[in-house]
Amino acid sequence: ACGTDEEDTTEGTEDTTDTTDTEEGTDTETEAADFKAGMVTDIGGVDDKSFNQSAWEGLVAFGEDNGLSKGSGIDYVQSANDADYLPNLNRLVQQDYNLVFGIGYLLAEAVSEVAGQNPDTNFAIVDSVVEGDNVASITFQEHQGSFLVGVAAALKTESNKVGFVGGVEGDLIKKFEAGFEAGVKSVDPSIEVVSQYADSFGAPDKGKAIAASMYNSGVDVIYHASGGTGNGVFAQAKDIKNADPDAYVWVIGVDRDQHEEGVIGDTNVTLTSMVKRVDIAVQSVSQQALDGEFPGGEVLAFGIAEDGVGVAQTNEEAYTAEINDAVEEWKQKILGGEVEVPATDDELAAYLESL
Amino acid sequence: MFSNRMFNILVPIISVVLGLIAGAIIMLGFGYNPFQGYLALIDGAFGNAYFFGETIRQVTPYILTGLAVAFAFRAGLFNIGAEGQVIVGWLAAVWIGTTIEAPMIVHLPLALFAAALAGGMWGFVPGLLKAKLGVHEVIITIMMNYIALYLTNHLIRNVLTDTKDTTDRVVESAALSSEWLMTLTSYSRLHWGILVALVAAVFMWFLLEKTTAGYELRSVGYNRHASEYAGMKVGKNIILAMVISGGFAGLAGAMEGLGTFGYMPTHSAFTNIGFDGIAVALLGGNAALGTVIAAFLFGTLKIGALNMPTGAGVPAELVEIVIALIIFFVASSYIIRWALLRLKKEGK
Amino acid sequence: MLDVLQSIIPIALFYSAPLIFTALGGVFSERSGVVNIGLEGLMVMGAFVGIVFNLAFVDVLGAATPWVSVLVAMVVSAVFSSIHAVASVSFRADQVVSGVAINFLALGLGVFLTKQWYGKGQTDMVSRPFYSTDIPFLADIPIIGPLLFQKIYLTSYIAIIAAIVAWYVLYKTPFGLRLRSVGEHPMAADTNGINVYTMRYIAVIISGALGGLGGSVFALTIALNFSQSTIVGQGFMSLAAVIFGKWHPLGAMGAALFFGFAQSLSVIGAGVPFLADVPKIYLTIAPYLLTILALAGFIGRAEAPKANGQPYIKGSR
Amino acid sequence: MLDIRKEFPGIVANDNINLQVKKGEIHALLGENGAGKSTLMNVLFGLYQPEKGEIRVKGKKVKITDPNVANELGIGMVHQHFMLVDTFTVTQNIILGSEPRRYGTIDIKKAEKDVSELSDRYGLRVDPKAKIRDISVGMQQRVEILKTLYRGADVLILDEPTAVLTPQEIKELIGIMKSLVKQGISIILITHKLKEIMEVCDRCTVIRKGEGIDTVNVSETNVDDLASLMVGREISFTTEKTPAEPKQSVLNIHELKVLDARGVEMVKGLNLEVKAGEIVGIAGVDGNGQSELIEAITGLRKTESGKVLLNDKEITNLTPRKVTEAGVSHIPQDRHKFGLVLDFPIGENMVLQTYYQKPYAKNGILSFNKIYDHAKNLIKEYDVRTPNVFTKARALSGGNQQKAIIAREVDRSPDLIIAAQPTRGLDVGAIEFIHKKLIEERDKGRAVLLISFELDEIMNVSDRIAVMFDGNIVANVKPEETNEQELGLLMAGSRKEKVGGE
Ligand SMILES: Nc1ncnc2c1ncn2[C@@H]1O[C@H](COP(=O)(O)OP(=O)(O)OP(=O)(O)O)[C@@H](O)[C@H]1O
Ligand SMILES: Nc1ncnc2c1ncn2[C@@H]1O[C@H](COP(=O)(O)OP(=O)(O)OP(=O)(O)O)[C@@H](O)[C@H]1O
Ligand SMILES: [Mg+2]
Ligand SMILES: [Mg+2]
């Protein structure tokens, strides 16, 4: 490949263009030489700054622990569209991978099918549940993390109005929404939560329009769970901030720390992010598989307790100690079982009732 | 030596070869090995039974959307709306496939029919507006695409399921998938839909070339005024063309819903099956046989491309570039003909 | 009511601006008789170049970065569009086919090169996008000021000015008269000594520049990075605006603004009292439904330039 | 022009042609359809490059590589098919390509003034601000002439200028030509109408099958000589025909009112009868409702009120298909727009209305053997010159396209044949053939309705003439009892006493 390494930004990211020598490099001399773990991304790709990237970072970290590198022992395949999931999974199976991850709930059906046909290969699905003795289902308690950023939003808001921007409506994104609203209301039931969906994870124009309309109507903190649509939310927040450096607008990122997206001049509009540690989950499941303890047939729910979800603290100026303390406090309540965070509309209604 | 017929066969072949050569040059330019790249592509499309099955599986909807676009073209209409028609056809097929119980001999045809009908309805609206009010079909079909996307998502979440992201699986009696085909191709998702697609191609050829209805459609496509003069109902033919075109695209949706997937997820973006159909149709010269061949080429390239990153380290997008160049060369067939004529003259 | 307008208008304007630029490009091309389905691809190219250039030169150019970026995007897209010109003017290609090729090629190249240069499927976010500003003086006018001139992207106004300029060029200058004659009756133009091929080349290249402008403005105001899903359908919406606007620059601008307003209304609908009870799905599809209704109801038949889509072959009849 | 040769793929369109035009003369160029007249003129105008030969202007050898060069040399051409952008105004069309400017903008004021001055100088009387699509064909032609004058042409080529004009317009055009010549402009006139040549031309060059035959002084020749020079054989002009024997009434129109596309009433309570075995000619200036009348009879346009009866059965507002099935054939005025699907093979064009009937189709399936056999027969019978039945209609010459249409329409053995300008733009040979066919059909007992702007044709072919003016039949006359003068006046709307006398 031609030297494009200078773009190699984030710590764990492999130089993915480093490809020509991977072909010859199949005869590696590592201890785990005959263990191979691969992953199939959804259409995002391993550089989506979101959970595909995070998953890959986890796999890379696992590789580093065990002397594996891309092309020899670990690898990924990116899907160009929905119909590619199955062939991509199969591709890895046929290349004798021992463990194959399907990253994203969109791959659930495909994983279920391939797993049924290939009982000798281990599979893991992220963000969904697939039955089967050779499948580990990795789920996250996003509602717990969302609850915590909800607490942060409630403490940060001055207008007593916060917003939620979702991608496409569905069970998964509902967890974010319900958890967030529960968190906000737990701090102060009088705070209004407006939420709106963009009907797309890839429509920054709609994201920006929704954010503009929310900020315009007095919302000052927006939590987005909308993939690329969120770009528009950041764009709008930064634009307001640019026009008026004193403007009080915040964005809460999702899946990974979106601090970088919030940078504008010397300040940052990213209050915090609900971080989903797909890397930790992937790394831990891979390690278990290598160690012969693959949790096949189990549904793993990575939550606060497993460090599977968390709250980013990068923006020290905005994410104050006071907020941090409160978040920490609620975190303990969740860990202690005092608070059962709702994950659906019904649960949310019941939870709000109980407040 | 070079008869007209020879030209018609030679020009697309030369276009494909030129496109591949251009792709090879790009690969060389970026430091990849073009032989490895194309080997990986061929391997990824035909390397074993599984990949072969997947290739055919991908070809299936392409044939149908290609036919959809081609059919409309022949009647003088540009159907950018195949995409939306695919989506509503998919939903209709899955709807019937999940909610009804019936023996396969009834259920499967019914589900297919529902898909064709839904796609047809989606083509009917722009057809009607074009025929009655002269509204340009291009805008309407573009708008109908978005409506299809959002409306089906809404229906999946609120009507077919209780706020779920995917529908249930279609029951056995409505499924195109076949255990036999799957085991034959080491569990690819090859399904019987390819037969549906081929039958559709024959149907289109027969309808257009052999029947009075086809004569009318072609006549209207070439010259509306003369057709009206000759006693044909121009409006009716425009609507009919859009409905049949939409029906083909709707069937493409059924291929996904009853075959490849067996269910329908909510879509956060277009499937692109319909948009790719435009390229397939144009590559195939808007003729039935040509469309089938073009769909094979397209499906091969698309599925083969998936193997290029792991097989040879070449980004799969390279294939998009190759496809674009092939389309470009096909479009520029005039210059290829011209060059061939020059060659022929010099040869003499 | 004023409140509602105040939230609708800025959204409509930033949403419309990229569509206006691109649709104007479409008007130039199609007025000269070259159908341009490739607008989507031209926008993709513009978005790609705009972002890449911005990322690469932000340290050198400072505050001027976004402006220089869109200029570079215009130039590169103009060059890129000459492929369409060569095919459809010189090679007598089917213009629809060639336009489809442009769409595939732009996306393929954009994503391929992004992977080559950044080693991933999407670029970083630019640190110097376009920001909205208050327009001096105009912003202080009561009522209209806050409505139209505060917190507005300059690019939105440039788009509107561009539409007026395009109208002026097409309808008031010799160049415009010649360009339109070539799209209506190329042989008549030819017998009057106008070089049909040159005119069409120029028109297609202008459409490339404007499409590139539209794409880069979209990327630098809204998406802030480039990936394969940055431009998804905006080019087709622009094409719709060209036809909706009856191939007239001001009409195309009006259509693009209409899309912007409809989209904006659909987004803010949930917060507007009289729309609050409308089920969400209706709001979501409203922009598209409204367009269809508008066309069916009172816009009706539009006449394309007569020679649109036909390659001109000297000496044939 | 000396020894010009021009080839097209597979055909020599011009060979060994010499043409010399003197200053201030009107020089006719005569030849059959496809003889190569237009091609020769296109060579002169720079649209085609000749393979051989040379062109001299005022004694100097020149190379005319494109129309700009021709314009600079003072050569202007009015094409057979008008080169006008019909969404533009008269002025815009005239200045296109050499626009007067002010600050980079078109100085439209100055342009309009120039145009009206120029038009006044030559007595052309055009409205500089009118849109081309709104003005008559005759006006459009004047715009074409103005275009060349605006560019300072002193040699003017007119390619079949009179084919599309009404008698009045032709008269005016001849006047215009004469005044142009007086001002020192030379004119090359292409026409198939020998009478016109005799009337205005000084000399005449004849081309036959691409070859130059001769140049003669018009004053030393006559119509018959010219004709035989052109075709290479003797030719008769007055169409032989026996007196008509009208029988039962076939077409009956009562108080018909029809609106045009803009909603203006164009046919205003018209009454007309055509009997079996007679040819009724409708004389009239274009735009007096003829097109709307035909469209209403054939079902292409809805009527406002009134009745159309065919063989005593009402066919008012039936669909075109039903009208055709009832026994009406229609040779349309615009053969490219209505008469043919140019991209269909000529064979398939032969069954444009009957493709769904036996034997061409059974149960909705076409029988191509039958269709092409039928086409072959027609092509032979009507002498349509085409390489074969699979050739696209587009590739046939205008005359042969028209023959194909006539073959198709006549062969259906209809009760009523509507022939709208059936000979427009055709050469004498083809015209003779078509007129013969129409009369033959009449003699077989069919009713023929002939619409033509050519008085010659109306006078020669009709058994009865109905003069149409302002949406009404204003006079019914017999060709033997009238003359062109009188008809011309009637067509212009002067209601003569004769009407009452009828
Ligand atoms: N563009 C062309 N391509 C091929 N052949 C052509 C072309 N133009 C003219 N020809 C051929 O040249 C011959 C002369 O055509 P031309 O148009 O000069 O005839 P014409 O004398 O003007 O006939 P008409 O009286 O019908 O106008 C025709 O027979 C035709 O076959
Ligand atoms: N694209 C073409 N390819 C081949 N031949 C052509 C083409 N265009 C025109 N011709 C030839 O040019 C000749 C003259 O065509 P044209 O339509 O001018 O005939 P015409 O008799 O002048 O018709 P009209 O009377 O309608 O003006 C025809 O014989 C036709 O064969
Ligand atoms: Mg001619
Ligand atoms: Mg002619």
Side-chain angles (χ1 to χ4, degrees), chain D residues 51-347:
Chain D
E51 268 78 38
K52 216 178 95 187
E54 64 179 52
I55 301 173
R56 291 193 191 156
V57 175
K58 300 188 183 111
K60 256 209 328 259
K61 192 179 161 188
V62 291
K63 249 191 127 49
I64 306 179
T65 47
D66 71 80
N68 277 330
V69 179
N71 283 333
E72 274 159 32
L73 292 168
I75 301 170
M77 176 158 177
V78 174
H79 295 261
Q80 188 172 354
H81 307 279
F82 290 160
M83 296 294 167
L84 295 172
V85 181
D86 68 359
T87 51
F88 284 11
T89 65
V90 168
T91 304
Q92 287 175 326
N93 267 289
I94 291 172
I95 61 172
L96 181 63
S98 43
E99 304 85 356
R101 298 167 191 229
R102 228 173 113 212
Y103 313 122
T105 309
I106 301 174
D107 190 347
I108 199 76
K109 288 264 154 47
K110 178 173 183 308
E112 277 166 4
K113 215 174 101 231
D114 290 353
V115 168
S116 59
E117 271 175 23
L118 203 60
S119 126
D120 287 349
R121 172 137 45 104
Y122 296 98
L124 292 172
R125 299 195 317 273
V126 299
D127 172 7
K129 288 185 182 164
K131 279 230 168 84
I132 295 296
R133 60 158 68 149
D134 297 333
I135 63 178
S136 71
V137 177
M139 274 296 168
Q140 292 180 4
Q141 188 160 57
R142 294 179 190 189
V143 176
E144 284 278 22
I145 295 171
L146 271 177
K147 246 164 79 175
T148 63
L149 297 176
Y150 182 81
R151 286 168 173 69
D154 44 26
V155 178
L156 189 57
I157 305 166
L158 299 172
D159 193 351
E160 288 189 46
T162 56
V164 290
L165 298 187
T166 62
Q168 269 73 16
E169 287 171 329
I170 292 175
K171 210 174 276 164
E172 286 172 18
L173 176 67
I174 287 173
I176 291 167
M177 286 197 287
K178 284 183 174 158
S179 91
L180 286 172
V181 172
K182 266 198 209 102
Q183 307 203 24
I185 287 170
S186 316
I187 294 176
I188 302 174
L189 174 70
I190 301 178
T191 179
H192 293 299
K193 296 178 190 168
L194 303 174
K195 249 174 44 190
E196 284 167 7
I197 294 181
M198 300 308 296
E199 193 178 340
V200 292
C201 297
D202 302 305
R203 294 192 303 156
C204 174
T205 295
V206 181
I207 303 178
R208 193 193 306 151
K209 299 200 171 124
E211 279 187 75
I213 299 296
D214 200 3
T215 301
V216 293
N217 283 323
V218 170
S219 54
E220 297 161 11
T221 185
N222 59 47
V223 170
D224 294 322
D225 287 352
L226 278 179
S228 44
L229 211 53
M230 170 169 89
V231 231
R233 63 182 162 92
E234 294 294 317
I235 213 160
S236 78
F237 278 101
T238 39
T239 326
E240 299 289 329
K241 69 172 195 200
T242 53
E245 293 164 17
K247 299 188 192 75
Q248 82 284 8
S249 157
V250 172
L251 177 71
N252 247 309
I253 298 177
H254 295 293
E255 292 297 326
L256 187 70
K257 289 189 181 167
V258 190
L259 308 184
D260 72 358
R262 298 163 299 171
V264 179
E265 192 174 275
M266 292 301 284
V267 178
K268 306 173 174 173
L270 177 141
N271 292 299
L272 182 71
E273 181 184 30
V274 186
K275 295 198 171 89
E278 73 167 348
I279 299 178
V280 173
I282 292 196
V285 179
D286 193 6
N288 276 289
Q290 294 98 323
S291 311
E292 286 77 14
L293 172 63
I294 301 170
E295 286 170 1
I297 301 174
T298 53
L300 289 166
R301 184 178 292 284
K302 290 270 167 285
T303 62
E304 188 65 9
S305 66
K307 268 190 202 165
V308 182
L309 301 177
L310 187 76
N311 296 327
D312 295 331
K313 278 203 280 297
E314 181 155 356
I315 58 165
T316 327
N317 287 338
L318 291 185
T319 59
R321 160 101 3 126
K322 288 269 182 298
V323 173
T324 307
E325 285 173 348
V328 177
S329 272
H330 174 196
I331 299 161
Q333 196 167 338
D334 186 336
R335 54 181 167 259
H336 286 174
K337 191 168 169 191
F338 290 103
L340 296 165
V341 176
L342 290 173
D343 291 301
F344 270 0
I346 189 68

Side-chain angles (χ1 to χ4, degrees), chain C residues 315 317, chain D residues 8 11 13 32-39 48 80 160 192:
Chain C
R317 289 177 258 194
Chain D
F8 289 116
I11 195 163
E32 284 185 283
N33 283 127
K37 309 175 296 288
S38 301
T39 305
Y48 296 155
Q80 188 172 354
E160 288 189 46
H192 293 299

Side-chain angles (χ1 to χ4, degrees), chain A residues 305-322:
Chain A
E306 296 81 13
D307 270 341
V309 293
V311 178
Q313 300 167 5
T314 330
N315 193 346
E316 287 169 10
E317 208 176 314
Y319 189 76
T320 57
E322 185 192 347

Side-chain angles (χ1 to χ4, degrees), chain D residues 415-451:
Chain D
D415 298 326
L416 172 68
I417 298 174
I418 299 173
Q421 308 224 63
T423 60
R424 187 188 238 191
L426 302 188
D427 65 36
V428 281
I431 292 174
E432 186 190 13
F433 176 86
I434 287 166
H435 286 171
K436 229 171 64 201
K437 272 289 163 197
L438 290 179
I439 292 165
E440 248 175 64
E441 291 306 303
R442 177 201 74 173
D443 292 343
K444 285 185 201 158
R446 309 217 153 103
V448 178
L449 182 62
L450 171 71
I451 290 94

